[in-house]
PDB file of all heavy atoms in Angstrom:
ATOM      1  N   VAL A   1      10.071  47.461 -33.546  1.00 98.00           N
ATOM      2  CA  VAL A   1      10.294  47.469 -32.134  1.00 98.00           C
ATOM      3  C   VAL A   1      11.720  47.802 -31.896  1.00 98.00           C
ATOM      4  O   VAL A   1      12.714  47.283 -32.524  1.00 98.00           O
ATOM      5  CB  VAL A   1      10.016  46.042 -31.527  1.00 98.00           C
ATOM      6  CG1 VAL A   1      10.318  46.027 -29.944  1.00 98.00           C
ATOM      7  CG2 VAL A   1       8.557  45.624 -31.737  1.00 98.00           C
ATOM      8  N   PHE A   2      11.885  48.725 -31.022  1.00 98.00           N
ATOM      9  CA  PHE A   2      13.314  48.986 -30.542  1.00 98.00           C
ATOM     10  C   PHE A   2      13.884  47.893 -29.635  1.00 98.00           C
ATOM     11  O   PHE A   2      13.403  47.391 -28.875  1.00 98.00           O
ATOM     12  CB  PHE A   2      13.226  50.295 -29.639  1.00 98.00           C
ATOM     13  CG  PHE A   2      14.584  50.728 -28.987  1.00 98.00           C
ATOM     14  CD1 PHE A   2      15.539  51.455 -29.747  1.00 98.00           C
ATOM     15  CD2 PHE A   2      14.898  50.315 -27.701  1.00 98.00           C
ATOM     16  CE1 PHE A   2      16.749  51.697 -29.117  1.00 98.00           C
ATOM     17  CE2 PHE A   2      16.217  50.612 -27.174  1.00 98.00           C
ATOM     18  CZ  PHE A   2      17.068  51.318 -27.875  1.00 98.00           C
ATOM     19  N   MET A   3      15.233  47.772 -30.096  1.00 98.00           N
ATOM     20  CA  MET A   3      15.984  46.818 -29.349  1.00 98.00           C
ATOM     21  C   MET A   3      17.404  47.520 -28.871  1.00 98.00           C
ATOM     22  O   MET A   3      17.888  48.223 -29.684  1.00 98.00           O
ATOM     23  CB  MET A   3      16.434  45.534 -30.116  1.00 98.00           C
ATOM     24  CG  MET A   3      15.205  44.629 -30.547  1.00 98.00           C
ATOM     25  SD  MET A   3      14.705  43.681 -29.135  1.00 98.00           S
ATOM     26  CE  MET A   3      13.183  43.052 -29.753  1.00 98.00           C
ATOM     27  N   PRO A   4      17.864  47.283 -27.740  1.00 98.00           N
ATOM     28  CA  PRO A   4      19.132  47.915 -27.247  1.00 98.00           C
ATOM     29  C   PRO A   4      20.374  47.509 -28.115  1.00 98.00           C
ATOM     30  O   PRO A   4      21.262  48.231 -28.131  1.00 98.00           O
ATOM     31  CB  PRO A   4      19.217  47.493 -25.683  1.00 98.00           C
ATOM     32  CG  PRO A   4      18.513  46.305 -25.612  1.00 98.00           C
ATOM     33  CD  PRO A   4      17.341  46.407 -26.669  1.00 98.00           C
ATOM     34  N   THR A   5      20.323  46.357 -28.645  1.00 98.00           N
ATOM     35  CA  THR A   5      21.573  45.822 -29.316  1.00 98.00           C
ATOM     36  C   THR A   5      21.010  45.116 -30.636  1.00 98.00           C
ATOM     37  O   THR A   5      20.015  44.448 -30.636  1.00 98.00           O
ATOM     38  CB  THR A   5      22.459  44.931 -28.566  1.00 98.00           C
ATOM     39  OG1 THR A   5      21.806  43.767 -28.339  1.00 98.00           O
ATOM     40  CG2 THR A   5      22.837  45.543 -27.296  1.00 98.00           C
ATOM     41  N   GLY A   6      21.905  44.916 -31.677  1.00 98.00           N
ATOM     42  CA  GLY A   6      21.668  44.153 -32.880  1.00 98.00           C
ATOM     43  C   GLY A   6      21.707  42.688 -32.566  1.00 98.00           C
ATOM     44  O   GLY A   6      20.930  41.876 -33.201  1.00 98.00           O
ATOM     45  N   THR A   7      22.542  42.260 -31.664  1.00 98.00           N
ATOM     46  CA  THR A   7      22.644  40.793 -31.171  1.00 98.00           C
ATOM     47  C   THR A   7      21.199  40.410 -30.778  1.00 98.00           C
ATOM     48  O   THR A   7      20.853  39.295 -31.043  1.00 98.00           O
ATOM     49  CB  THR A   7      23.598  40.633 -30.044  1.00 98.00           C
ATOM     50  OG1 THR A   7      25.041  41.013 -30.483  1.00 98.00           O
ATOM     51  CG2 THR A   7      23.723  39.204 -29.578  1.00 98.00           C
ATOM     52  N   LEU A   8      20.647  41.282 -29.870  1.00 98.00           N
ATOM     53  CA  LEU A   8      19.219  40.844 -29.412  1.00 98.00           C
ATOM     54  C   LEU A   8      18.324  40.851 -30.514  1.00 98.00           C
ATOM     55  O   LEU A   8      17.384  40.032 -30.548  1.00 98.00           O
ATOM     56  CB  LEU A   8      18.841  41.711 -28.275  1.00 98.00           C
ATOM     57  CG  LEU A   8      17.546  41.212 -27.554  1.00 98.00           C
ATOM     58  CD1 LEU A   8      17.734  39.905 -26.845  1.00 98.00           C
ATOM     59  CD2 LEU A   8      17.029  42.249 -26.492  1.00 98.00           C
ATOM     60  N   ALA A   9      18.391  41.808 -31.338  1.00 98.00           N
ATOM     61  CA  ALA A   9      17.371  41.908 -32.533  1.00 98.00           C
ATOM     62  C   ALA A   9      17.500  40.748 -33.454  1.00 98.00           C
ATOM     63  O   ALA A   9      16.414  40.052 -33.763  1.00 98.00           O
ATOM     64  CB  ALA A   9      17.756  43.200 -33.310  1.00 98.00           C
ATOM     65  N   ASN A  10      18.675  40.323 -33.886  1.00 98.00           N
ATOM     66  CA  ASN A  10      18.845  39.028 -34.576  1.00 98.00           C
ATOM     67  C   ASN A  10      18.318  37.822 -33.838  1.00 98.00           C
ATOM     68  O   ASN A  10      17.737  36.866 -34.373  1.00 98.00           O
ATOM     69  CB  ASN A  10      20.308  38.941 -35.008  1.00 98.00           C
ATOM     70  CG  ASN A  10      20.691  39.740 -36.127  1.00 98.00           C
ATOM     71  OD1 ASN A  10      19.878  40.144 -37.047  1.00 98.00           O
ATOM     72  ND2 ASN A  10      21.997  40.193 -36.180  1.00 98.00           N
ATOM     73  N   HIS A  11      18.646  37.696 -32.577  1.00 98.00           N
ATOM     74  CA  HIS A  11      18.318  36.534 -31.782  1.00 98.00           C
ATOM     75  C   HIS A  11      16.843  36.434 -31.714  1.00 98.00           C
ATOM     76  O   HIS A  11      16.263  35.254 -31.910  1.00 98.00           O
ATOM     77  CB  HIS A  11      19.011  36.659 -30.277  1.00 98.00           C
ATOM     78  CG  HIS A  11      18.673  35.562 -29.478  1.00 98.00           C
ATOM     79  ND1 HIS A  11      19.085  35.487 -28.201  1.00 98.00           N
ATOM     80  CD2 HIS A  11      17.918  34.473 -29.555  1.00 98.00           C
ATOM     81  CE1 HIS A  11      18.705  34.433 -27.572  1.00 98.00           C
ATOM     82  NE2 HIS A  11      17.938  33.839 -28.361  1.00 98.00           N
ATOM     83  N   LEU A  12      16.136  37.559 -31.276  1.00 98.00           N
ATOM     84  CA  LEU A  12      14.778  37.407 -31.026  1.00 98.00           C
ATOM     85  C   LEU A  12      13.965  37.288 -32.371  1.00 98.00           C
ATOM     86  O   LEU A  12      12.799  36.688 -32.333  1.00 98.00           O
ATOM     87  CB  LEU A  12      14.266  38.650 -30.235  1.00 98.00           C
ATOM     88  CG  LEU A  12      14.781  38.680 -28.793  1.00 98.00           C
ATOM     89  CD1 LEU A  12      13.940  39.747 -28.050  1.00 98.00           C
ATOM     90  CD2 LEU A  12      14.772  37.405 -28.069  1.00 98.00           C
ATOM     91  N   ALA A  13      14.456  37.721 -33.479  1.00 98.00           N
ATOM     92  CA  ALA A  13      13.855  37.496 -34.659  1.00 98.00           C
ATOM     93  C   ALA A  13      13.851  36.079 -35.124  1.00 98.00           C
ATOM     94  O   ALA A  13      12.797  35.478 -35.464  1.00 98.00           O
ATOM     95  CB  ALA A  13      14.663  38.384 -35.788  1.00 98.00           C
ATOM     96  N   VAL A  14      14.963  35.393 -35.061  1.00 98.00           N
ATOM     97  CA  VAL A  14      15.156  33.953 -35.358  1.00 98.00           C
ATOM     98  C   VAL A  14      14.309  33.189 -34.318  1.00 98.00           C
ATOM     99  O   VAL A  14      13.557  32.297 -34.758  1.00 98.00           O
ATOM    100  CB  VAL A  14      16.664  33.592 -35.309  1.00 98.00           C
ATOM    101  CG1 VAL A  14      16.720  31.986 -35.429  1.00 98.00           C
ATOM    102  CG2 VAL A  14      17.408  34.178 -36.437  1.00 98.00           C
ATOM    103  N   ARG A  15      14.374  33.451 -33.146  1.00 98.00           N
ATOM    104  CA  ARG A  15      13.579  32.680 -31.971  1.00 98.00           C
ATOM    105  C   ARG A  15      12.026  32.878 -32.368  1.00 98.00           C
ATOM    106  O   ARG A  15      11.365  31.883 -32.220  1.00 98.00           O
ATOM    107  CB  ARG A  15      13.907  33.349 -30.659  1.00 98.00           C
ATOM    108  CG  ARG A  15      13.092  32.872 -29.585  1.00 98.00           C
ATOM    109  CD  ARG A  15      13.310  33.707 -28.239  1.00 98.00           C
ATOM    110  NE  ARG A  15      12.505  33.364 -27.218  1.00 98.00           N
ATOM    111  CZ  ARG A  15      12.823  32.498 -26.219  1.00 98.00           C
ATOM    112  NH1 ARG A  15      13.974  31.831 -26.292  1.00 98.00           N
ATOM    113  NH2 ARG A  15      11.992  31.989 -25.321  1.00 98.00           N
ATOM    114  N   SER A  16      11.634  34.105 -32.717  1.00 98.00           N
ATOM    115  CA  SER A  16      10.212  34.210 -32.940  1.00 98.00           C
ATOM    116  C   SER A  16       9.677  33.636 -34.183  1.00 98.00           C
ATOM    117  O   SER A  16       8.748  32.854 -34.256  1.00 98.00           O
ATOM    118  CB  SER A  16       9.863  35.759 -32.930  1.00 98.00           C
ATOM    119  OG  SER A  16      10.196  36.254 -31.663  1.00 98.00           O
ATOM    120  N   LEU A  17      10.473  33.714 -35.299  1.00 98.00           N
ATOM    121  CA  LEU A  17      10.191  33.081 -36.580  1.00 98.00           C
ATOM    122  C   LEU A  17      10.174  31.562 -36.512  1.00 98.00           C
ATOM    123  O   LEU A  17       9.368  30.888 -37.136  1.00 98.00           O
ATOM    124  CB  LEU A  17      11.191  33.437 -37.576  1.00 98.00           C
ATOM    125  CG  LEU A  17      11.063  34.950 -38.085  1.00 98.00           C
ATOM    126  CD1 LEU A  17      12.207  35.304 -39.042  1.00 98.00           C
ATOM    127  CD2 LEU A  17       9.727  35.386 -38.583  1.00 98.00           C
ATOM    128  N   ALA A  18      11.032  30.967 -35.519  1.00 97.00           N
ATOM    129  CA  ALA A  18      11.096  29.565 -35.454  1.00 97.00           C
ATOM    130  C   ALA A  18       9.904  28.879 -34.758  1.00 97.00           C
ATOM    131  O   ALA A  18       9.434  27.930 -34.983  1.00 97.00           O
ATOM    132  CB  ALA A  18      12.336  29.095 -34.725  1.00 97.00           C
ATOM    133  N   GLY A  19       9.278  29.754 -33.900  1.00 94.00           N
ATOM    134  CA  GLY A  19       8.117  29.373 -33.221  1.00 94.00           C
ATOM    135  C   GLY A  19       8.282  28.448 -32.198  1.00 94.00           C
ATOM    136  O   GLY A  19       9.349  28.097 -31.743  1.00 94.00           O
ATOM    137  N   PRO A  20       7.163  27.894 -31.570  1.00 90.00           N
ATOM    138  CA  PRO A  20       7.279  26.940 -30.281  1.00 90.00           C
ATOM    139  C   PRO A  20       8.070  25.660 -30.734  1.00 90.00           C
ATOM    140  O   PRO A  20       8.511  25.058 -29.893  1.00 90.00           O
ATOM    141  CB  PRO A  20       5.814  26.671 -30.094  1.00 90.00           C
ATOM    142  CG  PRO A  20       5.047  27.951 -30.701  1.00 90.00           C
ATOM    143  CD  PRO A  20       5.771  28.347 -31.943  1.00 90.00           C
ATOM    144  N   GLY A  21       7.944  25.278 -32.039  1.00 85.00           N
ATOM    145  CA  GLY A  21       8.607  24.090 -32.435  1.00 85.00           C
ATOM    146  C   GLY A  21      10.110  24.160 -32.612  1.00 85.00           C
ATOM    147  O   GLY A  21      10.777  23.112 -32.722  1.00 85.00           O
ATOM    148  N   GLY A  22      10.638  25.368 -32.627  1.00 89.00           N
ATOM    149  CA  GLY A  22      12.112  25.638 -32.731  1.00 89.00           C
ATOM    150  C   GLY A  22      12.510  25.304 -34.034  1.00 89.00           C
ATOM    151  O   GLY A  22      12.179  25.985 -35.045  1.00 89.00           O
ATOM    152  N   GLY A  23      13.203  24.133 -34.201  1.00 93.00           N
ATOM    153  CA  GLY A  23      13.764  23.842 -35.540  1.00 93.00           C
ATOM    154  C   GLY A  23      15.213  24.286 -35.612  1.00 93.00           C
ATOM    155  O   GLY A  23      15.840  24.653 -34.598  1.00 93.00           O
ATOM    156  N   ARG A  24      15.668  24.306 -36.787  1.00 96.00           N
ATOM    157  CA  ARG A  24      17.112  24.802 -37.228  1.00 96.00           C
ATOM    158  C   ARG A  24      16.940  26.010 -38.062  1.00 96.00           C
ATOM    159  O   ARG A  24      15.935  26.305 -38.663  1.00 96.00           O
ATOM    160  CB  ARG A  24      17.779  23.708 -37.876  1.00 96.00           C
ATOM    161  CG  ARG A  24      17.989  22.432 -37.136  1.00 96.00           C
ATOM    162  CD  ARG A  24      18.544  21.338 -38.043  1.00 96.00           C
ATOM    163  NE  ARG A  24      19.109  20.190 -37.163  1.00 96.00           N
ATOM    164  CZ  ARG A  24      19.173  18.895 -37.556  1.00 96.00           C
ATOM    165  NH1 ARG A  24      18.548  18.588 -38.647  1.00 96.00           N
ATOM    166  NH2 ARG A  24      19.638  18.045 -36.814  1.00 96.00           N
ATOM    167  N   ALA A  25      18.051  26.811 -38.068  1.00 98.00           N
ATOM    168  CA  ALA A  25      18.201  27.927 -38.807  1.00 98.00           C
ATOM    169  C   ALA A  25      19.446  27.947 -39.670  1.00 98.00           C
ATOM    170  O   ALA A  25      20.490  27.645 -39.081  1.00 98.00           O
ATOM    171  CB  ALA A  25      18.179  29.193 -37.884  1.00 98.00           C
ATOM    172  N   ILE A  26      19.303  28.189 -40.900  1.00 98.00           N
ATOM    173  CA  ILE A  26      20.510  28.347 -41.846  1.00 98.00           C
ATOM    174  C   ILE A  26      21.032  29.864 -41.796  1.00 98.00           C
ATOM    175  O   ILE A  26      20.244  30.717 -41.855  1.00 98.00           O
ATOM    176  CB  ILE A  26      19.949  27.941 -43.302  1.00 98.00           C
ATOM    177  CG1 ILE A  26      19.773  26.465 -43.428  1.00 98.00           C
ATOM    178  CG2 ILE A  26      21.115  28.387 -44.334  1.00 98.00           C
ATOM    179  CD1 ILE A  26      19.268  26.069 -44.787  1.00 98.00           C
ATOM    180  N   VAL A  27      22.293  29.946 -41.769  1.00 98.00           N
ATOM    181  CA  VAL A  27      23.013  31.150 -41.750  1.00 98.00           C
ATOM    182  C   VAL A  27      24.311  31.223 -42.555  1.00 98.00           C
ATOM    183  O   VAL A  27      24.635  30.105 -43.040  1.00 98.00           O
ATOM    184  CB  VAL A  27      23.462  31.674 -40.325  1.00 98.00           C
ATOM    185  CG1 VAL A  27      22.180  31.840 -39.353  1.00 98.00           C
ATOM    186  CG2 VAL A  27      24.318  30.592 -39.766  1.00 98.00           C
ATOM    187  N   GLN A  28      24.806  32.267 -43.002  1.00 98.00           N
ATOM    188  CA  GLN A  28      26.148  32.366 -43.551  1.00 98.00           C
ATOM    189  C   GLN A  28      27.153  31.900 -42.648  1.00 98.00           C
ATOM    190  O   GLN A  28      27.166  32.314 -41.409  1.00 98.00           O
ATOM    191  CB  GLN A  28      26.421  33.675 -44.282  1.00 98.00           C
ATOM    192  CG  GLN A  28      25.386  34.053 -45.360  1.00 98.00           C
ATOM    193  CD  GLN A  28      24.989  35.510 -45.096  1.00 98.00           C
ATOM    194  OE1 GLN A  28      24.300  35.883 -44.070  1.00 98.00           O
ATOM    195  NE2 GLN A  28      25.412  36.461 -46.002  1.00 98.00           N
ATOM    196  N   ALA A  29      28.206  31.237 -43.087  1.00 98.00           N
ATOM    197  CA  ALA A  29      29.327  30.858 -42.065  1.00 98.00           C
ATOM    198  C   ALA A  29      30.028  32.293 -41.615  1.00 98.00           C
ATOM    199  O   ALA A  29      30.700  32.269 -40.664  1.00 98.00           O
ATOM    200  CB  ALA A  29      30.265  29.991 -42.824  1.00 98.00           C
ATOM    201  N   GLU A  30      29.813  33.217 -42.501  1.00 98.00           N
ATOM    202  CA  GLU A  30      30.551  34.605 -42.229  1.00 98.00           C
ATOM    203  C   GLU A  30      29.604  35.633 -41.463  1.00 98.00           C
ATOM    204  O   GLU A  30      30.009  36.686 -41.210  1.00 98.00           O
ATOM    205  CB  GLU A  30      31.105  35.275 -43.504  1.00 98.00           C
ATOM    206  CG  GLU A  30      31.881  34.379 -44.264  1.00 98.00           C
ATOM    207  CD  GLU A  30      33.198  33.995 -43.581  1.00 98.00           C
ATOM    208  OE1 GLU A  30      33.749  34.773 -42.815  1.00 98.00           O
ATOM    209  OE2 GLU A  30      33.577  32.825 -43.745  1.00 98.00           O
ATOM    210  N   ALA A  31      28.454  35.098 -40.971  1.00 98.00           N
ATOM    211  CA  ALA A  31      27.391  35.954 -40.462  1.00 98.00           C
ATOM    212  C   ALA A  31      27.827  36.446 -39.089  1.00 98.00           C
ATOM    213  O   ALA A  31      28.455  35.765 -38.278  1.00 98.00           O
ATOM    214  CB  ALA A  31      26.130  35.213 -40.357  1.00 98.00           C
ATOM    215  N   HIS A  32      27.428  37.646 -38.811  1.00 97.00           N
ATOM    216  CA  HIS A  32      27.681  38.169 -37.462  1.00 97.00           C
ATOM    217  C   HIS A  32      27.009  37.297 -36.371  1.00 97.00           C
ATOM    218  O   HIS A  32      27.528  37.067 -35.349  1.00 97.00           O
ATOM    219  CB  HIS A  32      27.142  39.559 -37.398  1.00 97.00           C
ATOM    220  CG  HIS A  32      27.536  40.291 -36.088  1.00 97.00           C
ATOM    221  ND1 HIS A  32      26.710  40.282 -34.946  1.00 97.00           N
ATOM    222  CD2 HIS A  32      28.525  41.208 -35.837  1.00 97.00           C
ATOM    223  CE1 HIS A  32      27.231  40.994 -34.084  1.00 97.00           C
ATOM    224  NE2 HIS A  32      28.286  41.573 -34.544  1.00 97.00           N
ATOM    225  N   LEU A  33      25.774  36.816 -36.707  1.00 97.00           N
ATOM    226  CA  LEU A  33      25.002  36.036 -35.811  1.00 97.00           C
ATOM    227  C   LEU A  33      25.665  34.721 -35.452  1.00 97.00           C
ATOM    228  O   LEU A  33      25.614  34.180 -34.343  1.00 97.00           O
ATOM    229  CB  LEU A  33      23.664  35.822 -36.255  1.00 97.00           C
ATOM    230  CG  LEU A  33      22.703  34.978 -35.513  1.00 97.00           C
ATOM    231  CD1 LEU A  33      22.336  35.757 -34.137  1.00 97.00           C
ATOM    232  CD2 LEU A  33      21.331  34.758 -36.260  1.00 97.00           C
ATOM    233  N   TYR A  34      26.433  34.218 -36.376  1.00 98.00           N
ATOM    234  CA  TYR A  34      27.052  32.867 -36.172  1.00 98.00           C
ATOM    235  C   TYR A  34      28.338  33.143 -35.509  1.00 98.00           C
ATOM    236  O   TYR A  34      28.839  32.166 -34.648  1.00 98.00           O
ATOM    237  CB  TYR A  34      27.249  32.188 -37.456  1.00 98.00           C
ATOM    238  CG  TYR A  34      27.814  30.898 -37.485  1.00 98.00           C
ATOM    239  CD1 TYR A  34      27.150  29.774 -36.780  1.00 98.00           C
ATOM    240  CD2 TYR A  34      29.127  30.543 -37.824  1.00 98.00           C
ATOM    241  CE1 TYR A  34      27.775  28.502 -36.681  1.00 98.00           C
ATOM    242  CE2 TYR A  34      29.662  29.285 -37.712  1.00 98.00           C
ATOM    243  CZ  TYR A  34      28.993  28.285 -37.090  1.00 98.00           C
ATOM    244  OH  TYR A  34      29.608  27.029 -36.982  1.00 98.00           O
ATOM    245  N   ASN A  35      29.191  34.099 -35.790  1.00 97.00           N
ATOM    246  CA  ASN A  35      30.544  34.275 -35.201  1.00 97.00           C
ATOM    247  C   ASN A  35      30.662  35.218 -34.055  1.00 97.00           C
ATOM    248  O   ASN A  35      31.600  34.964 -33.321  1.00 97.00           O
ATOM    249  CB  ASN A  35      31.354  34.811 -36.465  1.00 97.00           C
ATOM    250  CG  ASN A  35      31.541  33.867 -37.578  1.00 97.00           C
ATOM    251  OD1 ASN A  35      32.386  32.972 -37.617  1.00 97.00           O
ATOM    252  ND2 ASN A  35      30.819  34.086 -38.655  1.00 97.00           N
ATOM    253  N   ASP A  36      29.814  36.157 -33.903  1.00 97.00           N
ATOM    254  CA  ASP A  36      30.112  37.384 -32.996  1.00 97.00           C
ATOM    255  C   ASP A  36      29.093  37.449 -31.937  1.00 97.00           C
ATOM    256  O   ASP A  36      29.061  38.524 -31.260  1.00 97.00           O
ATOM    257  CB  ASP A  36      30.407  38.532 -33.784  1.00 97.00           C
ATOM    258  CG  ASP A  36      31.358  38.373 -34.781  1.00 97.00           C
ATOM    259  OD1 ASP A  36      32.583  37.982 -34.525  1.00 97.00           O
ATOM    260  OD2 ASP A  36      31.169  38.540 -35.989  1.00 97.00           O
ATOM    261  N   SER A  37      28.221  36.520 -31.643  1.00 96.00           N
ATOM    262  CA  SER A  37      27.137  36.719 -30.756  1.00 96.00           C
ATOM    263  C   SER A  37      27.067  35.673 -29.648  1.00 96.00           C
ATOM    264  O   SER A  37      26.017  35.586 -29.005  1.00 96.00           O
ATOM    265  CB  SER A  37      25.811  36.567 -31.548  1.00 96.00           C
ATOM    266  OG  SER A  37      25.742  37.645 -32.494  1.00 96.00           O
TER     267      SER A  37
END
C-alpha cells in the first residue's frame, strides 16, 4: 500500500499488527520511529 510518508507507514504498521487489544511494542532506542516521529 502506498503511504505519503514513512512516519505514517511505520505507525500504521505497528498499529495494525498490535490489533484491537493494542499492547506494547519493542523498538530500538535509536529507531526513527522512537526518536523522530
Side-chain angles (χ1 to χ4, degrees):
V1 177
F2 172 85
M3 294 285 171
T5 67
T7 296
L8 187 65
N10 280 329
H11 178 182
L12 295 192
V14 172
R15 175 190 174 94
S16 299
L17 292 174
R24 294 168 165 149
I26 290 175
V27 297
Q28 296 131 300
E30 304 302 318
H32 188 273
L33 182 60
Y34 183 68
N35 293 280
D36 306 299
S37 300

